[in-house]
Amino acid sequence: MKSTGEKSLRRRVVEDEREELLTKDVSSSDARDESKIKPKINSNTNTTSYIVLALVTVLAFATRFYKISEPNEVVFDEVHFGKFASYYLRREYFFDVHPPLAKMLIAAMGWFVGYDGHFLFDEIGNNYHTENVPYVALRSLLAVFGSLLVPVVYETLRECGFSVVACAVCACLVIFDNTLVAQSRLILLDSILILFMALAIYSYVRFYKLRNRPFSADWWFWLLATGINIALTTSVKMVGLFVVGLVGISVLVDLWRLLDVRRGLTMGDMAKHFMARALCLIVVPLVIYLSFFYIHFAILTKSGSGDAFMSSTFQATLEGNDMHANSMDVKYFDSITLLHKSTKVYLHSHLMNYPLRYEDGRISSQGQQVTGYPHREDPNNYWRIKPGKPLDEDHDEEIQPVRNGDIVQLEHIATNSTLLTHDVASPLMPTNTEFTTISNEDTSRFNETLFRISIEDGASDDSVLKTKASGIKFIHIDTGVALWTHNEALPEWGAGQQEVNGNKNPKDSSNIWTVDEILGKNATEEARVPRTVKHVNFFVKFWELQKKMISQNSQLVATHPFQSNPITWPFVIRGISFWTRGSDRSQIYFLPNPFGWVLGYLSLTAFIGVLLADQLALRRKLYLIDPVLRTRLHYAGGFLLLGWALHYIPFFLMGRSLFLHHYLPAIVLNYMIVAVLFQFVFIQGIEYPASLPAKGDLVPVYRPRAGWGACLAALLIIGAQVGVFVFFAPLTYGDMGLDAEQVLARKWLDSWDFHFAK
């Protein structure tokens, strides 16, 4: 009998030989000898795989299209994305925090079926039939994307070398997931996002399998396909950058492998590899991403609901923009109202003073209050703009216009006082300065009343200040702070109006105000000259929109009754009420399949445990896993685990409001990890690719055996997923009402806030 040491040594030699075979360069003679590395492929395996692929695809379409016409009312975020499609068809400019591709696809479907965009999806519950909206066609487009996800996921796992049984388990978990079904049959963006994400992963897997055939036609095709798909993903939502990170990290690891001198590549060869990846994975995606915004601007040429988010220069490019059509030059001694661009309140003052002491004990100047007031028609909103230095004597016969860079004073007409700020802390923000007014008769503090006009949006030095069209900042000459307000209201002593103070960061974009109107003779005597639509460079408009999208996305912090924290998502703690109809007690509640999500979480934990245990064993020279299996476990499983982490962990760093549907891309990757673990536990071996590898490819030298145990385990998992899916289907489809007892029977957790539970 051989000693334990001899057995371990022999096992290690065998493993080294297998690992060498898996990593041997294609240039070696053994790699070119197909007879040594390619066993005969059993055609029955391919036939079985195609049959299963067809079956799961049919099931995917059936679950997504089942009663897709129900409900015939606006559901959840169809309010937004249906509206945006209508705006495209009307060609009216709108603003959204997401890139345009998915919304343009929905609009294209509407155009294809003859929809003219007359319906604006104003409220959840609005009836589609009474408004003659082709909502079934719009929903069908999303259902197609959601259905195609299943064959893509299945084929990705097959290309990774997993068995038909393991791939079928994953496919069925995706098919019968209640959240994925609900999201795919409504006018929402996530089904498009997830499909493009899955296609990007599939393309990269196909490319990686050709790593031993660099610069071949197939190699170029799948590398380019990867770049195109990550561009499409990012063009749907900004979170598409997560798949960019996944592919990017994988490419860097691959390049590091190629850099190994034992690979025999020269630095010239490395340069070619790097340039090929840079071209297909950076340049091409960037061009595609820019192209969709170019189309976006080309379609939306008319003034619309999104005008107010953009600069006056941008708005000048839109037909019928009221801001430019009705703008007038502002001249000295005009009586004006100033509107804060971000919070939509007017600069306001009244005969009330700041209290001597605030609640925190700080002392104020007890000066006249200056506040932000939301109502337009109020005499306390009127200010007279006066020159801060003598006017040009050569123009005495006409009142001069206010220009960019001018030094001005703002006189509050109703109280005969002048605006100033000084080195006194504001009521609510001790770091900012207090704004108040002083009597016009007091000239001792003249310098504290001076402000420099700064017209934003790239204005020239001699640009004239205009009503509505000019975004302006008032920069205090003495202290350098900018006139600013924010959403927080003053206490009762300030009548609950909005605080105005001096922002010490004058570059902050929230410092911008506009002249809303002019009172008096200048407003009535101003000649209205028709404005022509201006042309602005595409890249200027693109960059402005990108900054605005990022800024507005970070400001989505308002609380929502159905928002949730990322830590709760894998545990199915909370869902989202999408829609209710009281007449028949129907509802759509966005709830995961509890079995699938809990199985996914447990599998994820177990998979990480297997990886850690294997590494610990290797440190002690215990070879518990065959090297071929270990390679597949690390490469395929590790790649999917990294994808899951990149699509989940970043949400913990976001300050915006988050919802359960943000976890959907991660749960798809989680289901794929379930297949990896299933293969490892129940099927010892690695499946052949679906087709015979091309000459030079390396494949494992043995195949898995999916015995009765594996088949039974697969049937139990699929059966449980289907059973739970059917049980919660009334809440997923909303096609039938449940009585209170039936609703309560489905309320497994108190945090599932279903309607009609009483």
Side-chain angles (χ1 to χ4, degrees), residues 78-153:
E78 288 185 337
V79 166
H80 301 298
F81 304 121
K83 186 193 303 289
F84 296 152
S86 291
Y87 282 142
Y88 273 121
L89 296 171
R90 294 178 175 207
R91 307 195 68 177
E92 296 177 4
Y93 186 79
F94 67 89
F95 175 80
D96 183 36
V97 296
H98 303 303
L101 175 57
K103 300 184 290 288
M104 287 195 295
L105 290 173
I106 298 170
M109 173 58 77
W111 173 84
F112 181 76
V113 297
Y115 175 54
D116 60 2
H118 65 274
F119 183 67
L120 288 181
F121 301 78
D122 289 321
E123 295 180 3
I124 295 175
N126 284 358
N127 192 281
Y128 287 127
H129 286 168
T130 58
E131 298 292 340
N132 194 28
V133 181
Y135 71 103
V136 173
L138 302 182
R139 286 180 179 174
S140 296
L141 173 70
L142 285 307
V144 169
F145 277 90
S147 302
L148 291 177
L149 171 67
V150 173
V152 172
V153 167

Side-chain angles (χ1 to χ4, degrees), residues 293-337:
F293 280 93
Y294 185 88
I295 298 171
H296 175 77
F297 293 140
I299 295 174
L300 302 179
T301 58
K302 298 180 181 179
S303 177
S305 62
D307 293 14
F309 290 91
M310 312 310 295
S311 69
S312 59
T313 301
F314 190 107
Q315 294 182 49
T317 66
L318 302 172
E319 299 173 14
N321 179 258
D322 179 71
M323 180 174 288
H324 283 267
N326 298 321
S327 66
M328 298 175 288
D329 292 352
V330 178
K331 299 179 180 179
Y332 281 112
F333 301 104
D334 281 347
S335 297
I336 62 175
T337 58

Side-chain angles (χ1 to χ4, degrees), residues 602-624:
L602 294 176
S603 299
L604 188 73
T605 305
F607 178 69
I608 294 173
V610 168
L611 294 180
L612 293 177
D614 180 54
Q615 291 302 308
L616 289 173
L618 289 176
R619 300 297 293 175
R620 303 305 302 170
K621 294 187 180 300
L622 298 174
Y623 306 105
L624 305 179

Side-chain angles (χ1 to χ4, degrees), residues 272-286:
K272 292 178 182 178
H273 276 278
F274 177 82
M275 293 303 295
R277 289 161 173 79
L279 173 64
C280 294
L281 301 179
I282 298 177
V283 177
V284 170
L286 182 60

Side-chain angles (χ1 to χ4, degrees), residues 391-398 400:
L391 297 177
D392 190 344
E393 295 181 357
D394 295 335
H395 297 82
D396 286 342
E397 295 182 358
E398 60 178 293
Q400 296 181 32

Side-chain angles (χ1 to χ4, degrees), residues 242 566 648-656 658:
F242 298 156
Y648 177 50
I649 294 175
F651 286 107
F652 287 91
L653 307 177
M654 297 183 185
R656 56 155 294 174
L658 297 170

